[in-house]
Amino acid sequence: MPTAPPTALNLFALHLQPVPLFPAFAVILLVGYLFGVFWLRRRGDRWPISRIVWWVAGVATLLLMTATGIDGYGMELFSVHMLQHMVINMLIPILLVLGAPITLLLRALPARHGSGRSARAMILRVLHSAPARLVTHPVVALLLFLVSLYALYLPPAFDYLMGTMWGHNLMLAHFLAIGCLYFWGVVGVDPSPRNSGRGLHQLSKPALRVIELAATVPFHAFFGVVVMMSTVLIVRSYAGTMPGWNITPLGDQQVGGGIAWGFTELPTLVVLGVLFWQWQKADSRQSRVADRKAARNGDAELNDYNAQLAALAARDQTGTRPVGR
């Protein structure tokens, strides 16, 4: 843990823990993803540059949160911990799922491997399994996303986890995993059980995903306001601060509540922008398909419709008026 006052320079300075689990995990994510892209391009397949940028941005943000002073000060200050929590739980997952890692993995893996079952087939089997459909169901994913926000901050769970480095890392891993699970379904770039199942595919429409995203905002705002307005410490782990920092635990907790309250806007805007872009792209794709179909058959549907209108007009001219008209 750092002992110097938490200045901006100290917050973003390199500060690795004795066992840098998350920085090592971030490097593995980066190397594995880039190797998958290299394998695709070596085979002659294309992979969008934008997805690489999203993935690299997510990994870089993860390193920023776990390989700098933010990780160390997060053990001393509730406000820094809350910043780390919100970024890992609500921003990094969005960046990672926009990189479409599951799609990359499925495209890079061979469909067959000798006479046995391939890794690609096993991954698809997991994606279509009943447990996967359960945890990715919008209601279940939303409840897991919200419950983890409240449940982990209730004593004694939070104080127990924050008592050791391993508990702290386990908490961060939980935030990252739950965030990826939730935004995997909301963003909808990668294949998932909710858009491949018979009943859940309707829940992947952009309008319903916007509603699902908006449902989390009041709960995060309420949590932030409760923490910000509290007159007592909600956890004991941050009851004391380093001498000479001129930071009171209660004042630091109120700053942390303000971060939790205001941070929700950023990921919401990012996801809304992505959903709008997906809607525009889908609309353009449908227009191109309709244009190609019209070019092939001479716009037969429009011609049939016009012929039907002409037949109705001819019948009206030759027919008699109904009684009473």
Side-chain angles (χ1 to χ4, degrees):
M1 300 181 189
T3 57
T7 63
L9 182 62
N10 291 334
L11 280 172
F12 295 103
L14 181 65
H15 184 85
L16 294 175
Q17 295 296 324
V19 184
L21 295 177
F22 270 93
F25 177 63
V27 172
I28 293 173
L29 291 179
L30 180 62
V31 173
Y33 189 93
L34 294 180
F35 179 78
V37 174
F38 169 77
W39 187 261
L40 280 185
R41 293 189 173 180
R42 182 184 179 185
R43 204 170 59 192
D45 297 336
R46 299 179 59 186
W47 186 254
I49 297 295
S50 60
R51 291 183 176 178
I52 301 176
V53 172
W54 286 118
W55 185 265
V56 173
V59 172
T61 309
L62 182 59
L63 284 172
L64 182 66
M65 291 294 108
T66 58
T68 64
I70 292 177
D71 192 42
Y73 286 106
M75 296 286 290
E76 291 282 354
L77 297 173
F78 183 81
S79 58
V80 180
H81 165 82
M82 188 56 64
L83 173 64
Q84 187 184 35
H85 169 187
M86 290 296 158
V87 173
I88 290 179
N89 186 232
M90 300 186 66
L91 180 59
I92 294 176
I94 298 174
L95 301 176
L96 293 180
V97 298
L98 286 174
I102 298 178
T103 302
L104 176 63
L105 183 62
L106 292 175
R107 289 184 59 184
L109 290 174
R112 293 287 180 185
H113 182 70
S115 58
R117 185 181 296 273
S118 65
R120 184 174 183 269
M122 294 178 63
I123 294 174
L124 289 173
R125 187 175 181 180
V126 171
L127 290 176
H128 291 86
S129 64
R133 289 196 299 269
L134 175 63
V135 298
T136 57
H137 190 283
V139 175
V140 176
L142 180 63
L143 288 177
L144 290 174
F145 186 68
L146 293 176
V147 167
S148 63
L149 175 67
Y150 287 86
L152 285 179
Y153 286 92
L154 296 177
F158 185 87
D159 292 321
Y160 176 78
L161 291 173
M162 289 295 293
T164 64
M165 180 194 70
W166 302 104
H168 176 63
N169 284 328
L170 180 62
M171 184 188 301
L172 297 182
H174 172 78
F175 290 148
L176 181 63
I178 290 297
C180 287
L181 174 66
Y182 174 73
F183 287 107
W184 177 25
V186 172
V187 176
V189 174
D190 269 329
S192 70
R194 77 160 61 183
N195 55 35
S196 62
R198 295 180 179 179
L200 294 177
H201 69 283
Q202 297 294 332
L203 296 172
S204 296
K205 293 182 177 180
L208 292 179
R209 283 189 279 165
V210 170
I211 295 174
E212 184 181 356
L213 176 66
T216 65
V217 176
F219 293 95
H220 277 88
F222 178 76
F223 173 80
V225 170
V226 168
V227 175
M228 186 170 52
M229 301 300 294
S230 177
T231 57
V232 296
L233 295 177
I234 60 175
V235 291
R236 297 192 305 270
S237 299
Y238 297 100
T241 57
M242 294 292 291
W245 285 11
N246 297 322
I247 299 175
T248 62
L250 186 58
D252 181 61
Q253 177 179 285
Q254 293 171 348
V255 173
I259 292 174
W261 175 52
F263 190 85
T264 310
E265 304 297 331
L266 178 60
T268 301
L269 291 176
V270 173
V271 174
L272 286 178
V274 170
L275 293 178
F276 178 76
W277 175 78
Q278 290 176 349
W279 175 73
Q280 290 280 54
K281 187 177 180 180
D283 186 65
S284 300
R285 187 184 302 114
Q286 291 177 358
S287 299
R288 290 195 300 268
V289 170
D291 292 340
R292 287 196 298 266
K293 185 177 180 181
R296 285 196 306 267
N297 56 22
D299 210 351
E301 293 183 359
L302 180 59
N303 294 334
D304 292 341
Y305 181 68
N306 290 333
Q308 183 181 5
L309 292 179
L312 291 175
R315 190 177 64 183
D316 290 341
Q317 291 178 358
T318 58
T320 58
R321 291 179 176 273
V323 177
R325 297 287 182 91

